[in-house]
Amino acid sequence: MEDCIFCKIIKGEIPSKKVYENEYVYAFEDIHPVAPVHVLVIPKIHIPSLNDINEDNSKYVSEIFKSIVEITKLKNICNSGYRVISNCGEDGGQVVNHLHFHVLGGKDLGPKLVK
Ligand code: AMP
Ligand code: ZN
């Protein structure tokens, strides 16, 4: 947890471009955007991945999904459409082991889900 870059972003120890924040959620611009809109949405507690969601932390997860809709409104992609992705584990391509949701949009993302 001490080495977690997203925990450091929440604490302000690593800079980020904030998009949205509430008691449970922090959202910021991805440093390597793959679409015109590419926002990362994370819980303000360290949850390693989707595999670690449980009854005790599920409030953070529901707040994340409510926040995602607010973020798509802020970014003007709510009506044009968007994609939400959470990579989990090695085959899922997860690089940062702090649960996060990629919110992608601002162009036609196409139907392809895997390479
Ligand atoms: P994942 O492969 O799902 O673990 O994605 C991790 C994402 O975090 C990648 O899209 C990175 O570009 C992004 N990322 C890594 N470090 C930072 C950072 N300091 N600020 C913003 N985004 C970051
Ligand atoms: Zn963390």
Side-chain angles (χ1 to χ4, degrees):
M1 256 179 258
E2 264 132 54
D3 292 336
C4 173
I5 59 167
F6 287 178
C7 280
K8 287 183 178 169
I9 283 175
I10 291 163
K11 285 189 260 175
E13 293 170 8
I14 292 176
S16 65
K17 287 188 186 163
K18 181 167 93 172
V19 174
Y20 181 90
E21 182 176 20
N22 69 24
E23 187 184 343
Y24 298 95
V25 172
Y26 188 75
F28 55 104
E29 306 282 357
D30 195 292
I31 206 165
H32 297 303
V34 297
V37 175
H38 188 170
V39 177
L40 296 175
V41 188
I42 65 176
K44 280 189 172 175
I45 56 167
H46 184 82
I47 302 172
S49 80
L50 284 171
N51 287 343
D52 303 291
I53 294 170
N54 56 42
E55 281 297 319
D56 293 339
N57 60 31
S58 61
K59 174 75 176 163
Y60 286 84
V61 180
S62 61
E63 286 291 328
I64 283 172
F65 280 94
K66 284 195 284 177
S67 301
I68 284 172
V69 178
E70 292 310 310
I71 291 160
T72 64
K73 289 175 186 167
L74 289 172
K75 290 289 188 180
N76 257 321
I77 59 169
C78 187
N79 294 324
S80 53
Y82 55 92
R83 182 171 292 156
V84 179
I85 296 171
S86 186
N87 297 324
C88 183
E90 204 175 326
D91 281 358
Q94 184 176 10
V95 174
V96 179
N97 293 318
H98 181 127
L99 179 66
H100 54 280
F101 293 83
H102 298 257
V103 180
L104 302 161
K107 69 171 187 180
D108 180 357
L109 298 169
K112 200 171 170 183
L113 282 176
V114 292
K115 70 178 171 188

